[in-house]
Amino acid sequence: MSIRRLPQNLINRIAAGEVVERPASALKELVENALDAGAKRISVELAGGGIDGINVTDDGCGMMRDDIALALERHATSKLPDDAIEAVATMGFRGEALPSIASVAHLTIESRARGGEGWARTVDNGQVVADGPIAMPLGTRVRVEALFAAVPARRKFLRTARSEFAACMDVMRRLAMARADVAFEVTHDGRRALVVQAETRESRVSALIDRQLADASVPLTHQRGGVTLAGLAGLPTYNRGVADHQYLFVNGRPVKDRTLSGAIRGAYADRLARDRHAVVALFIDVPAGEVDVNVHPAKTEVRFRDAANVRALIVGGLQRALDGAGIQRAPLPSNAAMRGWVREPQPEYQLRHPGLEPGSRFSFAAAPIEASPRGEPGVTTHEAGVAEVGTAFRAPESAPQPNHPLGRARAQIAATYIVAESADGLILVDQHAAHERLVLERMRAARANGQVPSQPLLMPEVVELDEPLCDRLEEAALDLGQFGLELERFGPSAVLVRSLPAALGGAAVGPLILDLADELVSHGQALSLAERLDHVAGTFACHHSVRAGRVLSLGEMDALLREMEVTPNSGQCNHGRPTWVRIAHSDIERLFGRK
Ligand SMILES: Nc1ncnc2c1ncn2[C@@H]1O[C@H](COP(=O)(O)OP(=O)(O)OP(=O)(O)O)[C@@H](O)[C@H]1O
Ligand SMILES: [Mg+2]
């Protein structure tokens, strides 16, 4: 077989296989080019999810006639004037995006630079089909049509217009977040999909994720070894079922990176259930030379020279910011829970109260406290529970203190929820969730001071477990010792427990050890030592906490509320659910149609 040099057109098409996977990847390249050209306003028109058409118009520097021809040639770039890839400050640098796209689509570039004439060049699947002058303002417009029309193998892999459009929007959100100083506009099939003006980074981030985020996140800034971290960390209670809302930027470039997402998971590990994901926007700046951006043709991956430092920076920065949030948590109880308070207008009630507008949003709620129409946990309670266990009750003889945001305990319902009155409303606290968190934070604090008190068992206890679980416990024995739990291997499938953390006096040893082993297995090597220890503390906390169903005195309840107010992270339980909800006075008034 003889070896031959491939024709340019084929080379471009091969490169396109890596760079242009779907409309969203072509769009990303075009918008990055516009940003690199210094555009302050970028407008994108998509048709059929980008499959039928992508149009990107910018007010950047534009190109001279000859440069347009060059731009369509492979390995032609204006962005590496001194050959220093390490120090590259632009989004692009490979000089292959345009020729790659042009090799698998019908592409037109129209451009005019200062001092030059407007020029348009059209390439169809690698062949120049039109070239000539046009009248246009300064800047550039690139039109891509019939993507993959001549590459059926690729076209087959495209998804529905709807999901291709979703991928395009994901690209746009990430780029728009990276450059809050630039205005963006996106339309899809003639309808507006996104419009943002130049603004601050904070307001851009919440505009693109969710306006609520401003109240459901904490800002962060952190520095370590020349690397800086800034951005927003969503409160754990503001979690999502998918990790799509984690936006990461390295030196201004949107990236998807395993190290970074692993670090986020680690930082939230003891704050979120395993199937829930944090919402974050993290901007990481590292000195050039500390990161390699030339890892993947699509430039969405990076490689850090000192990945461990970057990871520690992120875990530390996120945890510190979240610790500072105190009892703060996402502002509203979930909508579904809120609906439990609101019922359709009752006809009889309407008759007797003709003043109430039919269909008003906050309509009459039939005995909301007793109703639990959907059996939702959290806000509504069961009448039976109130009747049976309504043991603790305090007449409102003492006014709630404004400096106690969680108010004074008034009653306990269903032996599960604390009802408190605060200066501005009614507070419900999930006693188990809240207490579990407090115990965890106490253990963390004790561990930070190097002294978790331990209590020897009167009789060491043998716990039998599967061999792999015993292996895990044995490996973790030293770490566990830091919590006052002493155990050792006892034959192939058992461990011998000698002492427990003093806080757990009286806990059933067997179930505790089994839970611990499960915890260690499920997180395994993915977490650092400190994160694993947090998990251990979480397991202990769960075993020791005031269970739902335990009757508390008003004094105990008040003590719990006061401790929550001064404890970091007490707004959410160890699984990311809120520990308390508030119904403001104004909401109560609206529930009764008084407002
Ligand atoms: N919108 C634009 N405005 C001005 N110049 C542009 C624009 N788009 C492309 N160019 C010019 O065309 C050149 C080639 O663009 P292309 O995207 O193919 O490569 P690149 O951006 O240099 O590198 P990469 O392949 O990494 O994107 C750029 O270096 C730039 O000089
Ligand atoms: Mg480019």
Side-chain angles (χ1 to χ4, degrees):
M1 222 189 306
S2 61
I3 298 181
R4 67 170 179 134
R5 286 215 161 79
L6 295 176
Q8 201 49 239
N9 201 13
L10 199 53
I11 294 176
N12 286 337
R13 206 175 259 198
I14 290 169
E18 298 175 310
V19 182
V20 195
E21 203 188 326
R22 58 197 300 192
S25 34
L27 174 66
K28 169 182 171 295
E29 295 297 336
L30 300 181
V31 175
E32 288 186 353
N33 280 348
L35 289 171
D36 285 345
K40 285 289 153 212
R41 187 163 283 279
I42 297 176
S43 128
V44 174
E45 294 157 58
L46 300 169
I51 302 171
D52 299 333
I54 303 172
N55 228 326
V56 177
T57 309
D58 69 59
D59 61 355
C61 64
M63 281 175 274
M64 295 296 201
R65 173 184 170 171
D66 293 346
D67 283 342
I68 296 179
L70 254 182
L72 286 161
E73 269 176 35
R74 196 167 157 74
H75 301 313
T77 179
S78 57
K79 301 175 190 174
L80 289 177
D82 50 9
D83 299 347
I85 292 200
E86 317 73 57
V88 66
T90 46
M91 298 271 193
F93 53 86
R94 301 171 59 100
E96 61 180 4
L98 287 178
S100 300
I101 300 170
S103 73
V104 291
H106 186 86
L107 178 142
T108 301
I109 302 182
E110 300 169 357
S111 195
R112 182 159 81 85
R114 200 168 290 281
E117 58 176 337
W119 197 264
R121 189 175 176 100
T122 301
V123 178
D124 184 76
N125 290 286
Q127 306 299 326
V128 178
V129 292
D131 201 35
I134 51 159
M136 66 174 294
L138 287 181
T140 303
R141 178 207 298 268
V142 181
R143 205 163 56 235
V144 176
E145 290 157 312
L147 184 66
F148 301 139
V151 195
R154 252 310 151 90
R155 190 150 181 126
K156 218 172 60 192
F157 283 100
L158 291 180
R159 305 223 235 129
T160 60
R162 212 184 144 136
S163 56
E164 294 302 337
F165 171 60
C168 287
M169 286 306 287
D170 185 58
V171 160
M172 288 310 300
R173 263 195 298 273
R174 287 173 199 275
L175 286 169
M177 240 181 256
R179 292 294 302 272
D181 59 321
V182 176
F184 291 86
E185 187 186 325
V186 182
T187 62
H188 183 223
D189 293 333
R191 274 193 297 276
R192 270 191 190 192
L194 178 100
V195 182
V196 283
Q197 303 304 327
E199 58 197 321
T200 63
R201 182 188 273 175
E202 289 70 31
S203 74
R204 175 66 61 90
V205 166
S206 40
L208 292 173
I209 299 181
D210 179 358
R211 286 282 175 203
Q212 259 204 12
L213 187 64
D215 295 324
S217 63
V218 284
L220 75 166
T221 48
H222 199 53
Q223 217 171 351
R224 189 182 148 120
V227 182
T228 55
L229 171 69
L232 278 184
L235 294 174
T237 35
Y238 185 77
N239 57 55
R240 297 280 175 100
V242 287
D244 293 4
H245 289 287
Q246 298 186 344
Y247 299 92
L248 303 170
F249 305 87
V250 173
N251 293 350
R253 184 186 299 281
V255 297
K256 298 194 169 165
D257 182 276
R258 289 257 191 108
T259 311
L260 302 181
S261 9
I264 296 171
R265 175 150 284 280
Y268 279 84
D270 74 334
R271 294 166 164 90
L272 277 184
R274 245 162 262 152
D275 56 347
R276 305 300 296 175
H277 301 271
V279 174
V280 299
L282 300 183
F283 298 83
I284 300 150
D285 284 295
V286 303
E290 288 290 307
V291 60
D292 185 359
V293 294
N294 188 25
V295 178
H296 187 269
K299 295 162 289 196
T300 51
E301 289 170 26
V302 291
R303 199 160 289 150
F304 296 103
R305 202 171 63 83
D306 186 355
N309 179 50
V310 174
R311 187 189 152 85
L313 169 89
I314 291 173
V315 175
L318 281 171
Q319 290 195 333
R320 217 173 55 168
L322 292 170
D323 284 352
I327 57 165
Q328 206 186 336
R329 50 135 188 81
L332 271 181
S334 75
N335 286 340
M338 215 43 207
R339 278 199 303 275
W341 288 79
V342 180
R343 289 262 190 97
E344 289 308 307
Q346 306 284 304
E348 323 86 82
Y349 186 84
Q350 291 277 310
L351 283 178
R352 277 180 283 125
H353 298 81
L356 187 71
E357 288 286 307
S360 63
R361 195 165 95 74
F362 286 94
S363 50
F364 169 54
I369 292 281
E370 294 146 32
S372 184
R374 291 165 194 83
E376 283 146 357
V379 174
T380 53
T381 65
H382 300 279
E383 190 175 15
V386 179
E388 279 163 26
V389 215
T391 49
F393 177 76
R394 183 193 341 241
E397 83 288 348
S398 45
Q401 300 287 307
N403 57 345
H404 288 164
L406 294 182
R408 284 187 72 100
R410 297 290 185 209
Q412 185 189 27
I413 47 180
T416 301
Y417 304 105
I418 298 168
V419 181
E421 183 185 356
S422 70
D424 58 350
L426 167 72
I427 307 271
L428 289 173
V429 174
D430 178 336
Q431 66 189 42
H432 174 65
H435 192 246
E436 187 178 306
R437 191 72 212 180
L438 294 180
V439 172
L440 172 57
E441 293 295 337
R442 270 187 231 151
M443 292 200 110
R444 275 179 153 187
R447 186 159 52 82
N449 294 330
Q451 39 178 326
V452 179
S454 164
Q455 190 178 348
L457 297 175
L458 285 177
M459 289 277 286
E461 199 165 323
V462 177
V463 180
E464 293 191 6
L465 296 159
D466 290 348
E467 200 167 334
L469 293 184
C470 291
D471 292 345
R472 266 308 126 67
L473 285 167
E474 192 181 5
E475 283 160 27
L478 269 181
D479 300 347
L480 295 173
Q482 290 196 30
F483 285 96
L485 181 107
E486 281 170 44
L487 57 74
E488 62 203 53
R489 189 67 176 249
F490 196 71
S493 57
V495 292
L496 183 72
V497 182
R498 293 191 176 279
S499 74
L500 287 187
L504 295 189
V509 178
L512 170 68
I513 297 297
L514 182 61
D515 275 8
L516 254 185
D518 282 344
E519 195 60 62
L520 293 171
V521 169
S522 61
H523 285 288
Q525 307 306 317
L527 300 180
S528 72
L529 175 65
E531 289 155 14
R532 282 216 310 275
L533 291 180
D534 265 348
H535 272 279
V536 172
T539 309
F540 286 154
C542 187
H543 275 267
H544 176 60
S545 299
V546 177
R547 289 284 163 184
R550 188 154 119 204
V551 176
L552 301 176
S553 72
L554 286 172
E556 286 175 309
M557 292 191 250
D558 269 330
L560 189 86
L561 298 178
R562 297 295 82 77
E563 190 176 348
M564 284 174 74
E565 284 163 356
V566 295
T567 303
N569 300 304
S570 62
Q572 80 267 327
C573 76
N574 300 345
H575 314 284
R577 289 188 298 273
T579 52
W580 62 278
V581 296
R582 175 172 55 225
I583 318 283
H585 283 157
S586 54
D587 289 335
I588 298 176
E589 282 167 5
R590 265 182 293 192
L591 282 168
F592 286 102
R594 280 167 169 266
K595 244 166 84 174

